[in-house]
């Protein structure tokens, strides 16, 4: 009997070791965490957070450098870590900041946090695929536990997806504080596969026109991100990424700019409350700088990306 | 409480450990308390329905045993009616009411009786049928009425099979519940291994396939012919592994406590005929209908027409047992109807060719086997569709569209272009959910594993195969099985299909 119990214990131990091995080496350990890991033991000066807008560029551009790379070129003595990732938002930034501040061998000097106003749209923050449960779990949990995300998710000990497809589709969409429909109305491929002025107008409302409320989950996460950074002695910088306001005005009308300004003011207000500088670049660039797509996106051409890097450099990093 | 949940992962080891540690005289009480807790995890108040049925059937069975003649029959009918009334109220009232209302409207009559807004108690059809089996066995004098109320309560409520069977017979389960089981390491580990296989079937195969099937069947009108054919095929695999996986977990968890439950499946898709399918699929239910409905109606020992009637009645009731929806009735009717056709065809061939050659016999067998599978897979459309109009739409549009799309692909380009386009077309429902290649590969993996497991089951059994390997291979196999479940199991919460019945 003792032998059997011993066997059982060995079996369980092998299972645990096997799970760590499988999580780390078989099922593609999270690429974003690996990227961050490659920087936390280096003398990284600046972490550049953000979504795909930081990286993406039209094919026609001569340079495909990201905004972080442009900035890095302006301050060559500093390592600028581009840890931006498609569809990320402040909820993930909080987990990243906690991870960086507790695991860095050399504490970074600065974290730059680009805030994309579209990330507050239900199209983005309610999308099941954009919840990053696995990544947040790995970033937030201690070393042995971080390898057990998948088994816990499979056992439904964690809610994955955090937002179901049905909940996503039934999320309300606002213009200001007025409900103008539900996500399903704006995600219908039948309606939006043909680009018309009306469908473009609807997408601009869907993506930008909702007022950001004070109890917004992302806004609270942004405050938490700033608190964690400041607590660790890291300078936090916030800026709001440009949006194609020219198209917005022509499609939605005169209410567009006030709503964008209002939302930017709310975001920068959170930064101000934490004593963090915030630059509002939401209305800084014209249509010509945006990747020419039918529906709203904030991806910039080379000149646009360079402009952002220059603004950050001039405001925070230029040595007088 | 779902078997594939974190709650069960905590609940089951705690119950198991307590079961083997407490003095044997406390085990029944412990299992009963655990079963109550297990059931109350769904809708706590519904435990009262179970208590009502338990006390009623226990009392009436005791009275029945002591009585003879009309009195005995009266007690039996009272028990039968009381159980059926519960089923009708909770499961069928709204269905019959809505149909009567539609009929009344059609005939221009005034009829309006409100709908009941009651949740269907989990596994109602299962435990009521288990109670009915007990009452009928006692009535027939095949089994003595249980004297101990707690033992009988545990017979109805034994948590491994409480919500989805196997539907046990008193002669099989009651004596085991009264036996003091001694801990046996081999039985214990065999039970755990059986549970492991069940979890693999449910979480890795069935649940990953379900994501595709659910998407297509949620909106069949938007789906392509290719998607509909694939979804119907996948559903046939999904429902089998969903239920067979559940049964493995139920049988395995009972086995860890020394209780042997009846087998529910025997490689059903390897059937040689439609008739044989029903001796391989959901065996505990099909044998229940055979013993308590089909045989009492006369079974096959009657004339051809009466036999056909008996078959149709049995399958219609079986369909209705699954759910209060015409889709289930249609599903039952298709099975019953084709069993009659199958038998008629066999008789006709025998009459035409009294002494067939070996090639002809093989050809007929192959035709019967393929024909049975086609009928079974076709009937699943009705089982899975949300409404009769959905089912009708799928049956009438699926194949014409499918062949149209395949034709278009063939005329579009060479083999690689076709393969690429076909892969894309097959997985359109997943891309609508924003699922990528990983989920596509998981579906392919699920299908491949399905056929590997089924083939092994038809030979010597997956578990037997692993158990007879060298210790190192065995350990690797068990660890690989658990790690695969943990890492490739679907994370979306997909309840067992048969829990709704």
């Amino acid at each position: 009997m003792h032998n059997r119990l011993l066997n059982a214990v060995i079996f369980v131990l092998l299972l645990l070791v096997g799970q760590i091995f499988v999580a780390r080496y078989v099922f593609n350990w999270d690429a974003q965490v690996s990227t961050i890991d490659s920087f936390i033991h280096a003398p990284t000066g600046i972490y550049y957070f953000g979504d795909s807008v930081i990286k993406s560029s039209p094919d026609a551009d001569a340079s495909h450098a990201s905004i972080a790379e442009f900035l890095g070129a302006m301050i060559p003595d500093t390592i600028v870590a581009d840890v931006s990732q498609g569809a990320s938002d402040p909820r993930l930034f909080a987990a990243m900041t906690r991870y960086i501040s507790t695991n860095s061998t050399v504490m970074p000097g600065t974290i730059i946090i680009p805030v994309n106003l579209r990330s507050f749209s239900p199209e983005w923050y309610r999308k099941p695929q954009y919840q990053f449960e696995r990544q947040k779990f790995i970033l937030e949990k201690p070393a042995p536990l971080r390898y057990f995300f998948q088994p816990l998710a499979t056992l439904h000990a964690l809610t994955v997806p955090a937002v179901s497809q049905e909940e996503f589709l039934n999320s309300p969409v606002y213009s200001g504080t007025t409900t103008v429909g539900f996500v399903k109305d704006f995600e219908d491929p039948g309606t939006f596969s043909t680009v018309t002025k009306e469908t473009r107008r609807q997408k601009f409302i869907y993506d930008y026109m909702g007022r950001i409320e004070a109890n917004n989950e992302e806004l609270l996460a942004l405050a938490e991100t700033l608190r964690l950074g400041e607590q660790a002695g890291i300078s936090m910088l916030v800026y709001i990424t440009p949006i194609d306001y020219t198209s917005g005005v022509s499609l939605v009308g005169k209410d567009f700019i006030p709503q964008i300004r209002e939302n930017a003011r709310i975001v920068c207000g959170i930064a101000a409350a934490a004593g963090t500088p915030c630059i509002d670049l939401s209305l800084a660039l014209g249509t010509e700088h945006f990747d020419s797509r039918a529906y709203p996106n904030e991806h910039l051409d080379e000149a646009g990306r360079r402009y952002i890097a220059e603004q950050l450099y001039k405001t925070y990093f230029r040595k007088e | 409480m779902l078997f594939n949940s974190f709650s069960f992962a905590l609940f089951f080891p705690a119950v198991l450990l307590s079961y083997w540690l407490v003095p044997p005289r406390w085990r029944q009480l412990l299992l009963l308390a655990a079963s109550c807790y297990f059931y109350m995890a769904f809708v706590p108040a519904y435990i009262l329905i179970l208590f009502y049925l338990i006390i009623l059937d226990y009392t009436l069975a005791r009275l029945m045993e002591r009585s003879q003649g009309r009195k005995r029959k009266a007690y039996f009918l009272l028990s039968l009616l009381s159980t059926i009334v519960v089923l009708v109220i909770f499961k069928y009232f709204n269905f019959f009411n809505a149909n009567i209302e539609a009929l009344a409207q059609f005939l221009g009559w005034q009829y309006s009786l409100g709908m009941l807004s009651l949740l269907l108690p989990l596994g109602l059809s299962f435990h009521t049928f288990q109670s009915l089996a007990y009452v009928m066995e006692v009535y027939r004098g095949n089994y003595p009425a249980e004297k101990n109320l707690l033992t009988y309560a545990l017979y109805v409520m034994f948590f491994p099979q409480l919500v989805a069977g196997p539907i046990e017979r008193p002669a099989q389960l009651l004596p085991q519940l009264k036996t003091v089981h001694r801990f046996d390491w081999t039985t214990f580990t065999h039970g755990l291994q059986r549970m492991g296989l069940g979890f693999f079937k449910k979480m890795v195969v069935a649940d990953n396939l379900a994501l595709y099937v659910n998407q297509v069947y949620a909106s069949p009108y938007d789906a392509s012919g290719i998607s509909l054919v694939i979804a119907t095929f996948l559903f046939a695999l999904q429902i089998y592994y969903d239920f067979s996986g559940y049964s493995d977990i139920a049988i395995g968890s009972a086995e860890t406590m020394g209780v042997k439950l009846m087998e529910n499946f025997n490689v059903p898709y390897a059937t040689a005929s439609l008739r044989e399918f029903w001796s391989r699929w959901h065996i505990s239910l099909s044998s229940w209908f055979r013993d308590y409905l089909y045989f009492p109606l006369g079974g096959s020992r009657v004339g051809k027409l009466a036999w056909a009637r008996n078959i149709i009645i049995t399958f219609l009731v079986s369909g209705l047992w699954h759910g209060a929806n015409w889709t289930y009735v249609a599903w039952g009717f298709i099975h019953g109807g084709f069993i009659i056709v199958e038998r008629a065809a066999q008789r006709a061939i025998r009459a035409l060719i009294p002494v067939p050659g070996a090639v002809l016999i093989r050809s007929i067998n192959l035709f019967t086997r393929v024909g049975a599978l086609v009928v079974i897979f076709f009937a699943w459309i009705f089982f899975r569709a949300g409404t009769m109009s959905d089912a009708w739409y799928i049956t009438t549009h699926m194949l014409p569209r499918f062949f149209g799309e395949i034709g278009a692909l063939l005329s579009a380009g060479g083999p690689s272009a076709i393969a690429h386009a076909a892969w894309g077309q097959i997985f359109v429902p997943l891309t609508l959910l924003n699922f990528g290649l990983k989920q596509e590969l998981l579906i392919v993996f699920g299908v491949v594993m399905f056929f590997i497991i089924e083939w092994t089951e038809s030979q010597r059994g997956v578990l037997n195969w692993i158990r007879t390997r060298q210790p190192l291979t065995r350990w690797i196999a068990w660890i690989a099985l658990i790690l695969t479940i943990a890492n490739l199991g679907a994370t979306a919460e997909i309840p067992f299909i048969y829990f709704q019945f």
Side-chain angles (χ1 to χ4, degrees):
Chain A
M1 191 66 186
H2 279 103
N3 275 347
R4 280 172 174 161
L5 281 176
L6 186 66
N7 277 349
V9 171
I10 293 170
F11 184 83
V12 171
L13 286 175
L14 283 175
L15 207 55
L16 297 176
V17 173
Q19 175 56 37
I20 292 171
F21 178 81
V22 164
R24 190 75 184 81
Y25 300 105
V26 180
F27 291 117
N28 247 346
W29 187 240
D30 191 89
Q32 174 72 353
V33 177
S34 297
T35 308
I36 298 173
D37 280 342
S38 69
F39 287 112
I40 56 172
H41 300 303
T44 305
I46 300 170
Y47 278 92
Y48 206 118
F49 288 6
D51 55 72
S52 61
V53 168
I54 310 307
K55 287 191 175 99
S56 167
S57 61
D59 291 341
D61 283 353
S63 167
H64 289 273
S66 69
I67 302 176
E69 284 167 331
F70 281 129
L71 181 66
M74 293 169 197
I75 37 175
D77 55 333
T78 306
I79 297 176
V80 179
D82 181 354
V83 289
S84 60
Q85 180 188 217
S88 55
D89 66 45
R91 293 172 299 176
L92 191 56
F93 300 161
M96 286 162 66
T97 307
R98 187 176 288 113
Y99 186 78
I100 290 166
S101 62
T102 50
N103 291 287
S104 290
T105 317
V106 182
M107 201 59 78
T110 308
I111 293 178
I112 300 173
I113 301 171
V115 177
N116 189 331
L117 290 180
R118 184 157 63 93
S119 71
F120 292 90
S121 155
E123 181 227 0
W124 189 314
Y125 86 92
R126 294 285 288 166
K127 189 168 265 185
Q129 295 77 25
Y130 294 174
Q131 302 304 311
F132 297 104
E133 301 91 347
R134 177 189 165 92
Q135 207 172 89
K136 282 186 225 162
F137 185 90
I138 293 170
L139 288 169
E140 285 171 350
K141 302 297 173 197
L145 192 57
R146 59 202 294 234
Y147 299 106
F148 289 86
F149 170 80
Q150 200 58 42
L152 289 170
T154 307
L155 270 176
H156 309 127
L158 307 169
T159 312
V160 181
V163 179
S164 71
Q165 183 74 5
E166 198 183 350
E167 287 168 330
F168 168 59
L169 294 174
N170 290 314
S171 300
V173 175
Y174 297 98
S175 176
T177 52
T178 312
T179 309
V180 289
F182 296 90
V183 167
K184 60 187 167 202
D185 307 324
F186 296 85
E187 290 282 335
D188 177 17
T191 308
F192 291 95
S193 57
T194 314
V195 182
T196 64
K197 196 175 172 187
E198 176 54 21
T199 59
R200 290 189 71 207
R201 190 185 75 85
Q202 286 186 36
K203 283 285 189 186
F204 267 82
I205 292 171
Y206 179 34
D207 287 338
Y208 300 121
M209 288 300 285
R211 185 182 192 277
I212 303 171
E213 297 297 334
N215 60 353
N216 183 285
E217 211 183 313
E218 275 186 54
L219 212 54
L220 299 176
L222 178 64
E224 174 69 359
T225 307
L226 301 178
R227 191 190 64 77
L228 287 167
E230 298 293 345
Q231 201 174 46
I234 305 169
S235 299
M236 308 297 278
L237 306 177
V238 175
Y239 77 88
I240 297 173
T241 57
I243 60 170
D244 181 4
Y245 72 95
T246 324
S247 298
V249 170
S250 73
L251 291 162
V252 179
K254 62 179 174 50
D255 292 342
F256 190 78
I257 286 185
Q259 188 59 63
I260 297 300
R261 284 211 173 108
E262 169 73 355
N263 286 345
R265 188 191 60 76
I266 291 166
V267 173
C268 282
I270 291 292
T276 303
C278 174
I279 324 174
D280 178 10
L281 299 174
S282 57
L283 307 176
L285 295 172
T287 301
E288 69 279 10
H289 290 293
F290 291 87
D291 194 355
S292 54
R293 293 189 194 176
Y295 292 128
N297 77 88
E298 305 76 23
H299 295 181
L300 300 170
D301 65 358
E302 185 186 338
R305 295 198 306 282
R306 198 183 288 279
Y307 171 81
I308 303 293
E310 278 165 1
Q311 292 302 308
L312 291 170
Y313 175 70
K314 278 183 210 160
T315 316
Y316 302 117
F317 301 107
R318 185 159 61 187
K319 289 172 184 147
E320 297 300 336
Chain B
M1 190 183 299
L2 290 174
F3 280 163
N4 54 334
S5 68
F6 191 57
S7 329
F8 188 74
L10 298 175
F11 166 84
F12 183 66
V15 172
L16 198 56
L17 194 69
S18 314
Y19 178 81
W20 289 115
L21 288 180
V22 299
R25 67 175 184 281
W26 291 103
R27 283 183 189 159
Q28 260 194 22
L29 206 60
L30 172 86
L31 282 182
L32 198 58
S35 300
C36 287
Y37 179 80
F38 180 87
Y39 193 77
M40 288 168 77
F42 299 111
V43 181
Y46 280 173
I47 195 92
L48 297 174
I49 301 169
L50 271 175
F51 289 162
Y52 158 75
L53 286 172
I54 288 166
I55 292 168
L56 188 91
D57 289 333
Y58 168 82
T59 312
L60 289 173
R62 297 288 309 269
L63 290 171
M64 214 187 304
E65 195 177 43
R66 289 183 215 146
S67 338
Q68 291 299 324
R70 290 172 66 181
K71 210 171 174 185
R72 184 180 175 93
K73 196 168 188 174
Y75 287 134
F76 169 67
L77 288 176
L78 184 60
S79 168
L80 207 64
L81 278 174
S82 312
T83 307
I84 290 170
V85 161
V86 172
L87 265 176
V88 167
I89 291 173
F90 285 95
K91 189 162 179 173
Y92 298 107
F93 178 82
N94 286 347
F95 172 68
F96 287 127
N97 192 26
N99 280 290
I100 293 169
E101 200 170 304
L103 184 69
Q105 208 169 21
F106 178 73
L107 297 171
W109 295 347
Q110 285 293 318
Y111 175 88
S112 180
L113 203 62
M115 294 288 174
L116 291 175
S117 48
L118 294 168
L119 274 178
L120 178 66
L122 216 69
L124 183 69
S125 300
F126 285 94
H127 54 74
T128 49
F129 265 45
Q130 186 150 313
S131 303
L132 286 174
Y134 167 78
V135 169
M136 286 199 243
E137 290 300 309
V138 173
Y139 174 68
R140 289 173 179 182
N142 295 338
Y143 196 80
E146 177 54 50
K147 291 179 177 55
N148 187 330
L149 177 63
L150 291 185
T151 309
Y152 177 68
L154 188 58
Y155 162 78
V156 178
M157 294 188 67
F158 186 45
F159 76 85
Q161 44 92 243
L162 172 59
V163 287
I167 303 166
E168 289 292 338
R169 307 299 173 83
Q172 158 86 3
L173 186 57
L174 271 167
Q176 293 192 74
L177 297 177
K178 289 191 271 194
T179 307
V180 174
H181 299 281
R182 284 172 169 272
F183 182 81
D184 176 69
W185 181 260
T186 309
T187 312
F188 180 76
T189 51
H190 281 195
L192 293 178
Q193 291 159 5
R194 183 77 186 258
M195 290 176 80
L197 179 65
F199 282 120
F200 183 89
K201 286 179 177 177
K202 164 68 179 162
M203 294 160 82
V204 178
V205 181
D207 285 356
N208 278 313
L209 302 186
L211 294 171
Y212 186 99
V213 175
N214 292 349
Q215 176 70 6
V216 174
Y217 270 79
S219 176
Y221 304 93
D222 301 329
S224 67
I226 291 178
S227 300
L228 286 170
V229 168
I230 301 274
T232 303
F233 168 73
L234 293 183
F235 179 66
L237 311 191
Q238 181 209 337
I239 190 167
Y240 171 31
Y241 266 27
D242 190 280
F243 195 21
S244 153
Y246 165 83
S247 299
D248 285 334
I249 300 166
I251 293 166
S253 52
E255 200 174 353
T256 58
M257 293 179 273
V259 176
K260 182 110 183 87
L261 298 181
M262 74 183 289
E263 291 298 329
N264 229 1
F265 293 92
N266 178 23
V267 204
Y269 294 146
T271 182
S273 68
L274 197 56
R275 195 179 166 85
E276 188 188 311
F277 174 76
W278 282 101
S279 63
R280 291 167 171 266
W281 177 272
H282 200 176
I283 298 165
S284 66
L285 180 71
S286 48
S287 59
W288 195 101
F289 276 116
R290 182 198 60 206
D291 295 345
Y292 302 122
L293 182 62
Y294 178 67
F295 283 170
L297 284 171
S300 57
R301 293 178 179 180
V302 287
K304 284 177 199 166
L305 275 178
W307 170 77
R309 178 206 61 197
N310 295 345
I311 285 286
I312 290 294
I313 289 174
T314 305
F315 276 96
L316 286 182
V317 176
S318 168
L320 207 54
W321 176 90
H322 284 85
N325 194 325
W326 286 112
T327 51
Y328 295 113
V329 178
W331 172 76
F333 183 77
I334 291 166
H335 273 275
F338 275 98
I339 282 179
I340 295 166
V341 171
E342 186 180 80
R343 188 164 167 185
Q346 281 166 348
R347 283 186 172 173
I349 289 167
R350 252 183 253 136
L352 282 169
I353 314 159
V355 191
V359 175
L360 186 62
I361 289 175
R362 272 204 294 271
S363 308
I364 291 169
N365 287 346
L366 181 67
F367 181 78
T368 314
R369 191 180 286 268
V370 173
L373 282 179
V374 169
V375 171
I376 293 161
F377 279 42
F378 166 74
W380 285 133
I381 295 173
F382 287 83
F383 196 95
R384 179 59 185 81
T387 61
M388 274 303 276
S389 54
D390 281 4
W392 184 247
Y393 178 86
I394 295 168
T395 52
T396 52
H397 289 74
M398 182 172 75
L399 290 180
R401 273 199 194 174
F402 174 79
F403 288 116
E405 288 156 16
I406 293 292
L409 283 176
L410 285 173
S411 58
S416 63
I418 292 166
H420 181 74
W423 179 273
Q425 294 227 12
I426 286 168
F427 292 110
V428 164
L430 291 181
T431 51
L432 289 175
L433 283 170
N434 283 320
F435 283 135
L437 185 65
K438 187 189 165 195
Q439 194 59 44
E440 294 172 9
L441 292 176
L442 273 174
I443 287 178
V444 174
F445 176 73
V447 173
V448 170
M449 287 312 298
F450 177 90
F451 284 105
I452 291 174
I453 293 173
E454 285 307 284
W455 183 81
T456 318
E457 283 292 336
S458 69
Q459 303 300 309
R460 54 191 298 195
V462 177
L463 295 175
N464 279 339
W465 185 84
I466 300 175
R467 283 168 190 158
T468 49
R469 300 300 97 190
Q470 294 295 319
L472 181 65
T473 318
R474 256 189 347 245
W475 275 50
I476 291 171
W478 296 130
I479 288 173
L481 179 82
I482 296 170
L483 291 179
T484 309
I485 297 167
N487 291 281
L488 297 183
T491 50
E493 199 163 316
I494 300 167
F496 288 93
I497 295 171
Y498 268 72
F499 269 27
Q500 63 184 302
F501 306 137

